[in-house]
Amino acid sequence: MGKFTKKRGIANPEVSTASLPDIIFMLLFFFMVVTVLRDAEIKVNNNVPSATELTKLEKKSLVNYLYMGKPLERFQATYGTKPRLQLGDKFADIAEIPLFLEKHRSMVPENQRPGISSSLRVDGAVTMGIVTDVKTQLRKTGQLKINYSAKKRVD
Amino acid sequence: MSRKRARDRMKQEVNAGSMADIAFLLLIFFLVTTTIDVDKGVLVKLPPWSDEPPPEMKMNSRNVYSVLVNANNELLVRGEPKELRNLRADTKVFIINPRRQENMAEDPRKAIISLKNDRGTSYRTYLEVYNELKAAYSELREEEALRKHGKSFEFLSNEEQGEIRSKIPLVISEAEPTNFGDEG
């Protein structure tokens, strides 16, 4: 009897894979927590400058993004090489900003609307002309809380 | 024979081997659709828009620190060219005016930074200048906090922070940009 059981023990030296899903789930939850859903495909060059006086944007749902920069090479045939504004996932005109902001506003609960801020993700090589126009439009629309997106610089 | 069947029944288990694959699939889905980048930036409050031109303000010129950036990304501060790397230190001296000079701010509360750029100024330069001006203020607040409370500004209570903020208020006024340079 004892001899019989011993033999079976040698024949099954399998590593248990039962805890493997748990490990993968842990990884999955880690990534779900530290990352954010990609909101749009960026169609402009978007190398933001670096700065030191940075504020972190707290609530992602209260932020809308305005991208500015030269269109990427594969869009240059259609959209030219001048710096363009991108709202959501398409190129847009400055006049379309109020509608874009309103669309975002309507998705935010009413009591949180004063906290809405706009993140301006502007390529460093862009000249101030388009940035000024966008800023003027934002002021006219009443969106006064803005954030110039920038990378951290250590000095 | 009957003993064997009983053992088989006891070993009834759902095969969890493919669970890992399912979890991997989910993991890869999240890896593809998300980005890690944390969004940080320079926070700015824009002035409300009004259709009328702003009222003419009579300011004592000693309290105004005018910073002009032209289309070639050069700085003109109070009528004199300046290097970007000196801007922060000079702005601090202007606001605090440690030697009570006649041509600098009477009081940090009265100091006003006036920033004007050209439509052809590069955004990188603009943001660097803005950052330097903001840094000058935050350094002054930090020094004040250390001097008064012996603690860093960020560790002060809300009231203490507010007190220092009202003592050294951040006033950066942006004028309508000029339009001399090439936009591109």
Side-chain angles (χ1 to χ4, degrees):
Chain A
M1 188 61 188
K3 205 176 170 185
F4 180 69
T5 41
K6 202 173 168 191
K7 207 170 177 183
R8 219 178 58 201
I10 296 166
N12 276 334
E14 246 175 56
V15 180
S16 165
T17 54
S19 54
L20 196 61
D22 302 0
I23 298 166
I24 309 301
F25 267 116
M26 234 157 69
L27 266 174
L28 176 66
F29 290 143
F30 169 74
F31 274 98
M32 278 172 75
V33 169
V34 298
T35 59
V36 284
L37 267 170
R38 194 172 294 192
D39 52 346
E41 183 201 358
I42 299 171
K43 293 180 175 171
V44 292
N45 279 318
N46 210 250
N47 184 17
V48 295
S50 49
T52 55
E53 301 300 301
L54 298 178
T55 321
K56 215 168 164 183
L57 281 173
E58 292 299 344
K59 285 200 86 181
K60 294 265 186 242
S61 60
L62 297 181
V63 182
N64 46 51
Y65 297 94
L66 289 87
Y67 303 92
M68 270 167 268
K70 232 165 101 172
L72 291 179
E73 217 160 286
R74 63 201 147 100
F75 297 108
Q76 282 180 2
T78 4
Y79 295 100
T81 55
K82 282 237 172 228
R84 293 283 306 243
L85 171 70
Q86 184 191 340
L87 298 174
D89 50 7
K90 53 184 184 294
F91 289 104
D93 210 51
I94 284 162
E96 291 171 47
I97 291 177
L99 187 67
F100 171 76
L101 292 178
E102 193 50 48
K103 268 187 190 158
H104 175 251
R105 249 179 93 84
S106 62
M107 291 198 296
V108 176
E110 203 152 356
N111 58 341
Q112 291 178 6
R113 283 186 189 167
I116 294 180
S117 58
S118 289
S119 174
L120 268 64
R121 299 196 145 182
V122 189
D123 190 271
V126 164
T127 51
M128 281 307 286
I130 181 170
V131 185
T132 308
D133 293 341
V134 168
K135 264 163 70 185
T136 309
Q137 185 63 273
L138 285 172
R139 284 172 63 195
K140 282 180 179 166
T141 322
Q143 173 64 53
L144 303 177
K145 236 174 114 177
I146 64 165
N147 188 57
Y148 295 120
S149 197
K151 286 181 289 217
K152 179 99 193 129
R153 184 179 64 207
V154 193
D155 58 8
Chain B
M1 192 59 187
S2 66
R3 255 181 63 189
K4 195 175 172 238
R5 249 209 337 253
R7 216 180 54 211
D8 279 354
R9 217 180 290 136
M10 273 163 71
K11 274 178 76 180
Q12 280 293 322
E13 241 177 58
V14 179
N15 184 9
S18 51
M19 189 85 137
D21 303 0
I22 298 167
F24 257 125
L25 229 86
L26 274 171
L27 176 66
I28 290 164
F29 170 75
F30 270 93
L31 278 176
V32 169
T33 54
T34 58
T35 45
I36 305 192
D37 64 340
V38 274
D39 210 28
K40 290 194 211 118
V42 183
L43 198 71
V44 178
K45 195 108 172 55
L46 295 177
W49 177 263
S50 75
D51 286 318
E52 303 132 49
E56 222 26 70
M57 288 261 272
K58 268 272 172 265
M59 288 276 205
N60 197 337
S61 65
R62 68 178 280 191
N63 288 325
V64 180
Y65 195 71
S66 68
V67 180
L68 279 89
V69 194
N70 72 2
N72 297 327
N73 303 325
E74 292 157 342
L75 263 81
L76 193 74
V77 178
R78 304 194 104 185
E80 285 182 31
K82 192 182 284 289
E83 293 282 327
L84 182 67
R85 59 171 185 275
N86 301 329
L87 184 64
R88 190 186 297 195
D90 291 357
T91 310
K92 280 170 74 178
V93 171
F94 165 80
I95 300 163
I96 284 294
N97 195 2
R99 273 183 276 159
R100 304 270 131 233
Q101 275 163 290
E102 283 293 301
N103 59 344
M104 289 181 186
E106 288 173 61
D107 187 281
R109 266 171 287 226
K110 288 186 181 164
I112 285 175
I113 312 271
S114 157
L115 176 62
K116 191 170 182 171
N117 57 277
D118 191 87
R119 288 180 70 90
T121 307
S122 93
Y123 174 71
R124 180 171 285 120
T125 312
Y126 167 80
L127 198 67
E128 267 167 10
V129 170
Y130 202 98
N131 184 60
E132 289 304 298
L133 296 174
K134 224 180 152 184
Y137 271 102
S138 65
E139 277 181 18
L140 286 175
R141 284 175 177 174
E142 182 69 33
E143 284 164 19
E144 181 73 17
L146 284 176
R147 200 164 55 80
K148 233 178 149 190
H149 303 285
K151 274 194 283 186
S152 180
F153 184 72
E154 57 180 322
F155 297 124
L156 294 181
S157 69
N158 278 346
E159 295 93 70
E160 287 167 332
Q161 281 193 357
E163 192 190 313
I164 290 175
R165 275 210 190 92
S166 62
K167 206 169 173 191
I168 309 170
L170 188 143
V171 188
I172 299 177
S173 143
E174 284 184 71
E176 199 59 31
T178 52
N179 192 5
F180 300 123
D182 284 332
E183 285 184 51

